Amino acid sequence: MMLLTIFSGLIVFLMAFGLYQRSRPILAIKPLTELLFSTSWHPLRGEFGFFPFIMGTLWVTGVALAIAVPLCLLTAIYLSQYAHRRVREWTNPLIDLLAGIPSVVYGMWGILIIVPLIKNHIAPFFGIFSTGYSVIAGSIVLAIMIFPIIIHVAVEVFRSVPYEVSEASLALGATKWQTVKHVVIRKAMPGVIAAIVLGLSRAFGETMAVLMVAGNVAKVPSSVFDPAYPLPALIANNYGEMLSVPLYDSALLLASLVLLLVVLFFNIISRVILIRVERSIQ
Amino acid sequence: MEFKTHISVQNLDVFYGTERALKDITVDIPDKKITVIIGPSGCGKTTLLKSFNRLVDSMDEVKVSGKVFLDGENIFDPKVEITHIRKKMGLLSQKPFPLPMSIYDNVAYGPRIHGIRDKKELGRIVEHYLKQSSLWDEVKDRLHAPASRLSLGQQQRLCLARGLAVEPEIILGDEPTSALDPKSSQRIEQRFLELKREYTIVIVTHILRQAMRLADYVVFLYLGELIEHGPAEDILVDPKEEMTKEYIKGIIS
């Protein structure tokens, strides 16, 4: 049993090591900087520039956060500071439900609702032509998928602010909103950042739903209505299909390795912040 | 001794859910004196104190009936603006809870909330009230350091300065020295004795000796009921009620 425990703890490292081993052939030929920053993606000519995919990931994730963070924080503030206990009891399972929906379903919903909405209404409103399969479609779907984790962590963080600190502010004649704005948010700031980073690391790796609505064109997007091709989508779409092309699988495995390391990095950062927050409260 | 009334409590009842925390309290709190509320823990002392600035109603499932008149105005009247009531009272809680900001900003917080923007004016206010709570000399070189770095005793004096800075008429203290060492407690008590010339002070305490040192007027509560109240020399030296006698002798605590 102990061996099993150790094994499951080591799995992440084994995976990273395996990916590294398999991506060595391409690393032996091409410098890492060229792979990461070249925009030229022509596997048949032996050119593997990940830049469009990295930018695709950053665009989709960035816009998703821009949508999700304000909504989630306001929700968390409402739930932790204003809502009646009964409202909290009702909304918690509903938010959990959102976390339990399979990502394919989110993708389908995106194709059926969000993509046409963008194509027919939102993009024309700005005078732009778009197929609807775009950064913004991916971001909206992704934003909704990361709602639960950000809301949950943020609610916990806001509730961990001692009531007496709010009371001190109220006793000085501050209104509830002034208290929340100047005291509660400030006190909760490190934890809020951790909640956002946790959402961010989830968003980075999310594959299925984004792949279905983001358009998947290997070009650096220049607006939110352009299609994007995030890294996870690239890997999922191509691995196992085009392996006759030399070095292709090695390139994809390198992409996986990069993704794994980035997600791990953000996860560790958010854990460290959360642990600090807990300690500072005790 | 003649007392002028500042806060007048009339038939005050407070319920937490179904539990009745205060039972039909009627008492007058004298102006510019130190009133000490004594009684065993859980008897409703803090609840009474927090009804004065209506911090009771921010808790879940609280029901209040009765009236509390402050300067002739019933503070539980729905038309009354809560922030206006609270501005008239500075609160010192059991443990100091500095706001998550610098020493300077802690004191300037209240005045800023109430619309003072001028930097010079704020600086003057901060200095004045830090001096009044005898903290100025210890912190004047590090006003912009986080308030959380101060010692507990210093933090409590900072909270006093913070409360005074909104220019209240009344200071409410909820066992304000219970988390402090004897030396810091003494300093806070000394402040109170000086401040009562300008402010009405109401303190909750379970330390009988502290009540004897500070009180001009005493209110004795037991299990949510008002047992006895009156000038300190009457209540603490020669109480009329059996229950008060026993409490003061230390039989019930």
Side-chain angles (χ1 to χ4, degrees):
Chain A
M1 270 199 291
M2 196 180 82
L3 284 177
L4 273 176
T5 317
I6 294 171
F7 177 71
S8 55
L10 283 176
I11 275 185
V12 173
F13 298 100
L14 289 175
M15 280 170 76
F17 183 72
L19 288 173
Y20 173 68
Q21 280 295 336
R22 295 285 302 272
S23 52
R24 267 169 71 183
I26 195 162
L27 284 170
I29 302 170
K30 309 252 176 189
L32 188 62
T33 47
E34 190 198 313
L35 288 169
L36 291 183
F37 297 112
S38 159
T39 54
S40 159
W41 177 259
H42 298 292
L44 292 175
R45 280 189 262 148
E47 291 171 5
F48 298 98
F50 285 130
F51 195 64
F53 307 102
I54 293 173
M55 287 311 286
T57 301
L58 291 180
W59 268 85
V60 173
T61 315
V63 177
L65 279 185
I67 298 169
V69 167
L71 290 176
C72 290
L73 291 191
L74 290 175
T75 308
I77 287 170
Y78 172 72
L79 286 177
S80 62
Q81 307 291 320
Y82 291 91
H84 194 273
R85 195 160 43 86
R86 241 172 283 147
V87 177
R88 275 206 300 274
E89 280 164 9
W90 270 96
T91 45
N92 266 341
L94 283 178
I95 295 171
D96 281 337
L97 216 59
L98 215 54
I101 299 174
S103 72
V104 176
V105 177
Y106 277 105
M108 284 312 296
W109 171 79
I111 292 174
L112 290 176
I113 311 274
I114 302 292
V115 169
L117 188 72
I118 291 164
K119 183 182 171 194
N120 300 328
H121 297 285
I122 300 178
F125 181 78
F126 290 100
I128 297 166
F129 171 78
S130 169
T131 58
Y133 291 93
S134 56
V135 169
I136 186 78
S139 302
I140 292 174
V141 173
L142 199 52
I144 293 166
M145 294 181 71
I146 60 176
F147 274 180
I149 183 156
I150 301 186
I151 292 176
H152 271 311
V153 178
V155 165
E156 283 312 306
V157 169
F158 284 129
R159 291 186 64 180
S160 71
V161 175
Y163 179 67
E164 289 86 346
V165 180
S166 309
E167 208 174 57
S169 164
L170 291 174
L172 292 169
T175 61
K176 181 92 185 174
W177 175 239
Q178 284 169 326
T179 301
V180 168
K181 203 168 56 171
H182 297 302
V183 177
V184 177
I185 293 183
R186 197 188 288 229
K187 189 98 182 163
M189 199 37 107
V192 168
I193 291 169
I196 295 170
V197 175
L198 222 54
L200 182 75
S201 70
R202 166 94 204 270
F204 260 129
E206 181 48 49
T207 313
M208 204 38 150
V210 181
L211 173 154
M212 291 167 76
V213 298
N216 303 339
V217 174
K219 221 180 112 218
V220 177
S222 56
S223 96
V224 291
F225 296 110
D226 282 348
Y229 204 163
L231 271 180
L234 168 78
I235 299 162
N237 267 348
N238 296 308
Y239 195 76
E241 285 185 13
M242 301 179 65
L243 295 183
S244 54
V245 181
L247 288 179
Y248 204 125
D249 80 316
S250 185
L252 288 182
L253 288 165
L254 179 64
S256 320
L257 181 63
V258 170
L259 197 63
L260 177 70
L261 292 180
V262 170
V263 171
L264 266 183
F265 174 72
F266 280 115
N267 246 305
I268 291 169
I269 289 190
S270 62
R271 304 263 167 223
V272 169
I273 303 174
L274 280 176
I275 290 169
R276 285 241 179 105
V277 172
E278 273 165 27
R279 285 219 188 110
S280 74
I281 284 160
Q282 291 154 4
Chain B
M1 216 186 327
E2 267 306 299
F3 293 109
K4 202 175 136 238
T5 301
H6 196 165
I7 307 173
S8 175
V9 183
Q10 292 174 8
N11 309 100
L12 184 70
D13 272 283
V14 176
F15 289 88
Y16 294 128
T18 53
E19 189 199 342
R20 197 173 173 195
L22 286 181
K23 297 171 192 164
D24 197 23
I25 306 286
T26 300
V27 66
D28 286 345
I29 306 288
D31 189 34
K32 302 218 170 33
K33 296 276 181 267
I34 299 181
T35 300
V36 174
I37 305 175
I38 55 171
S41 39
C43 68
K45 302 187 296 276
T46 301
T47 304
L48 181 59
L49 193 77
K50 288 190 174 171
S51 344
F52 293 160
N53 65 0
R54 290 192 55 183
L55 274 176
V56 276
D57 32 319
S58 52
M59 289 172 219
D60 270 348
E61 328 232 319
V62 170
K63 258 189 285 167
V64 181
S65 69
K67 289 172 181 167
V68 175
F69 285 96
L70 173 68
D71 302 329
E73 185 182 31
N74 178 18
I75 65 166
F76 284 103
D77 189 322
K79 274 178 275 176
V80 158
E81 220 175 305
I82 295 194
T83 52
H84 176 68
I85 297 291
R86 289 183 181 151
K87 187 178 176 297
K88 289 188 182 176
M89 310 190 200
L91 176 73
L92 268 187
S93 51
Q94 290 188 14
K95 265 169 63 189
F97 282 94
L99 302 172
M101 46 189 85
S102 70
I103 297 169
Y104 182 97
D105 288 335
N106 258 277
V107 185
Y109 182 83
R112 279 192 182 130
I113 289 280
H114 299 294
I116 297 175
R117 287 272 167 267
D118 182 49
K119 282 231 164 90
K120 258 194 201 151
E121 174 73 1
L122 283 174
R124 191 195 61 75
I125 291 173
V126 169
E127 182 176 341
H128 178 74
Y129 289 106
L130 282 176
K131 277 180 178 159
Q132 206 173 35
S133 53
S134 73
L135 187 62
W136 175 254
D137 291 332
E138 293 158 60
V139 300
K140 62 181 177 205
D141 302 322
R142 46 171 175 153
L143 287 174
H144 296 283
S148 53
R149 296 222 192 115
L150 298 173
S151 73
L152 269 185
Q154 289 172 325
Q155 285 184 12
Q156 192 64 309
R157 274 177 285 149
L158 178 68
C159 291
L160 181 62
R162 181 179 69 190
L164 294 178
V166 295
E167 299 177 346
E169 303 164 6
I170 300 164
I171 300 170
L172 305 175
D174 183 9
E175 303 189 16
T177 61
S178 62
L180 307 182
D181 58 90
K183 185 113 182 65
S184 304
S185 308
Q186 206 191 347
R187 292 180 95 145
I188 293 276
E189 285 184 15
Q190 200 54 44
R191 290 296 99 201
F192 283 145
L193 290 172
E194 284 161 29
L195 289 168
K196 76 171 176 180
R197 264 174 286 157
E198 294 167 62
Y199 302 91
T200 297
I201 300 176
V202 186
I203 301 168
V204 162
T205 187
H206 62 267
I207 310 164
L208 216 49
R209 288 180 168 282
Q210 187 172 52
M212 291 177 181
R213 284 193 296 266
L214 297 177
D216 297 309
Y217 200 83
V218 174
V219 175
F220 177 59
L221 294 183
Y222 188 77
L223 297 178
E225 272 177 86
L226 177 66
I227 306 295
E228 201 171 353
H229 63 100
E233 55 273 20
D234 295 355
I235 304 285
L236 295 176
V237 180
D238 180 27
K240 294 189 181 54
E241 299 290 327
E242 204 51 43
M243 205 103 81
T244 322
K245 276 181 198 159
E246 285 181 11
Y247 181 75
I248 284 166
K249 279 190 210 141
I251 296 169
I252 44 174
S253 60

